[in-house]
Amino acid sequence: MKPSLVGDIGGTNARFALWRDERLEAVRVLVTADFADPQLAIAHYLAEQGLAPGDIAALCLAVAGPVKGEHFRFTNNHWQFVRSELAAFLHLQPADLLVINDFTAMALGMTRLRPQERLEICPGVVEEDCPAVVIGPGTGLGVGTLLPLGGGHWRALPGEGGHVDLPIATPREAQLWQALHAQLGHVRAEDVLSGSGLLRLYRALCTVDGHSALLSSPAQVTAAALAGDALASSVLEQFCVWLGRAAGNCVLTLGARGGVYIVGGVVPRFADFFRSSGFARGFAEKGSMSRYLDGVPVWLVTAEYPGLEGAGVALQERT
């Protein structure tokens, strides 16, 4: 039996694996900047596994951006592809090439989490017949919705929730928004709630409070905050509060009492800080609807490859 190929491609990294017997094999992470297009990256991965393009039974690509039509252009990197050309390159029938939004895959990946692959942030009880929210800062901000269909089956709804307006709830946040607006014009949630957004927030806070911006990367901001630097700590705290506001808004919009999963590569780097931060306050501060958020569980996902797992689930659900 030929294996299938699954891929989870974000703005910075492309993760590939073989999918055989409902599990991942031979996971490999490639840097998107090292390849001109996904076709070359796939060919490189297959060659590393001793496989040719015609040696796979199907392909599911989870991609960062809205999925529609023949031509796909990635939101946060230089890659693009045409479905029919990619299928022909891999000797696949069109029906055997599945292209889904990366947070559709991420949402489906939540169905395969093991207990040790998530940390409790807000306690609560899952309402089994309700949607769950999957939200994650990475190169951008991804948002997905997981719907239970019964009988062990699931449906994930794609969307571009990372591009909604940044939620403002306090005069302090309005000041920071003004500094961001002066630089960006329209301010999306992703403009703050992402890796590059953390540095952008640091610079905005320095502008508002009259500090010199001495740090020059998101990693430096995180490291300084974890080392106890008061300025960097306040930046990271505001980041967590804003992520809480965005996640709470999703719960209200979707009726997502099935829980919230925080994913992506950013937050696990400061998991202990996050657990004690104002995230829960930002999550629940919804005025007259604050009680609605009571009992909605929130977890920080620490699984290594949930997007790849979800791409495999998508292949299973397709058949």
Side-chain angles (χ1 to χ4, degrees), residues 272-289:
D272 290 340
F273 184 104
F274 184 70
R275 293 178 87 172
S276 60
S277 75
F279 169 88
R281 173 172 55 83
F283 180 68
E285 280 183 346
K286 299 301 177 188
S288 63
M289 289 301 293

Side-chain angles (χ1 to χ4, degrees), residues 211-282:
H211 298 292
S212 297
L214 302 178
L215 305 177
S216 58
S217 72
Q220 288 181 0
V221 175
T222 301
L226 298 182
D229 178 84
L231 175 59
S233 293
S234 66
V235 173
L236 204 57
E237 172 69 11
Q238 182 61 58
F239 181 96
C240 295
V241 171
W242 251 326
L243 182 55
R245 298 205 193 289
N249 285 352
C250 290
V251 171
L252 289 178
T253 301
L254 297 164
R257 298 191 58 84
V260 176
Y261 297 87
I262 308 295
V263 299
V266 173
V267 179
R269 296 172 185 168
F270 49 87
D272 290 340
F273 184 104
F274 184 70
R275 293 178 87 172
S276 60
S277 75
F279 169 88
R281 173 172 55 83

Side-chain angles (χ1 to χ4, degrees), residues 12 15 31 33 37 39-40 51 66 73 78 111 116 143 153 188-189 195 207 213-214 255 300 302:
T12 305
R15 301 164 185 84
V31 178
D37 56 46
Q39 186 168 305
L40 290 175
L51 298 172
R73 184 184 299 273
H78 63 287
T111 67
Q116 67 269 28
V143 180
H153 294 282
R188 306 167 298 168
T207 297
L214 302 178
L300 174 60
T302 59

Side-chain angles (χ1 to χ4, degrees), residues 46-318:
L46 290 175
E48 284 191 334
Q49 311 313 315
L51 298 172
D55 291 340
I56 61 170
L59 168 64
C60 179
L61 278 187
V63 294
V67 176
K68 186 178 180 180
E70 261 280 282
H71 187 271
F72 182 83
R73 184 184 299 273
F74 286 79
T75 301
N76 289 317
N77 69 41
H78 63 287
W79 281 5
Q80 55 184 302
F81 65 88
V82 177
R83 289 184 193 231
S84 57
E85 293 176 359
L86 183 57
F89 169 72
L90 294 169
H91 306 284
L92 295 175
Q93 295 299 314
D96 294 325
L97 172 58
L98 184 61
V99 182
I100 62 176
N101 178 265
D102 59 339
F103 262 72
T104 296
M106 190 66 78
L108 290 172
M110 299 304 97
T111 67
R112 292 177 60 93
L113 285 183
R114 294 171 292 180
Q116 67 269 28
E117 293 178 324
R118 65 186 191 184
L119 302 174
E120 184 180 79
I121 304 301
C122 299
V125 178
V126 171
E127 296 189 13
E128 299 289 350
D129 59 344
C130 291
V133 167
V134 184
I135 182 169
T139 302
L141 177 66
V143 180
T145 306
L146 184 64
L147 299 177
L149 301 180
H153 294 282
W154 304 83
R155 182 180 180 187
L157 301 182
E160 293 298 321
H163 297 275
V164 301
D165 299 339
L166 183 69
I168 308 301
T170 68
R172 172 68 166 172
E173 290 174 359
Q175 285 183 307
L176 293 169
W177 177 88
Q178 286 181 318
L180 292 162
H181 186 268
Q183 175 191 354
L184 300 170
H186 181 245
V187 184
R188 306 167 298 168
E190 178 174 280
D191 292 323
V192 168
L193 298 174
S194 59
S196 60
L198 181 59
L199 181 62
R200 189 175 289 116
L201 177 57
Y202 164 74
R203 290 171 173 164
L205 191 144
C206 287
T207 297
V208 169
D209 290 348
H211 298 292
S212 297
L214 302 178
L215 305 177
S216 58
S217 72
Q220 288 181 0
V221 175
T222 301
L226 298 182
D229 178 84
L231 175 59
S233 293
S234 66
V235 173
L236 204 57
E237 172 69 11
Q238 182 61 58
F239 181 96
C240 295
V241 171
W242 251 326
L243 182 55
R245 298 205 193 289
N249 285 352
C250 290
V251 171
L252 289 178
T253 301
L254 297 164
R257 298 191 58 84
V260 176
Y261 297 87
I262 308 295
V263 299
V266 173
V267 179
R269 296 172 185 168
F270 49 87
D272 290 340
F273 184 104
F274 184 70
R275 293 178 87 172
S276 60
S277 75
F279 169 88
R281 173 172 55 83
F283 180 68
E285 280 183 346
K286 299 301 177 188
S288 63
M289 289 301 293
S290 295
R291 292 295 298 275
Y292 188 87
L293 282 297
D294 289 350
V296 176
V298 180
W299 303 277
L300 174 60
V301 175
T302 59
E304 198 166 12
Y305 303 114
L308 286 176
E309 295 275 4
V313 173
L315 284 176
Q316 290 172 207
E317 292 292 308
R318 176 187 67 115

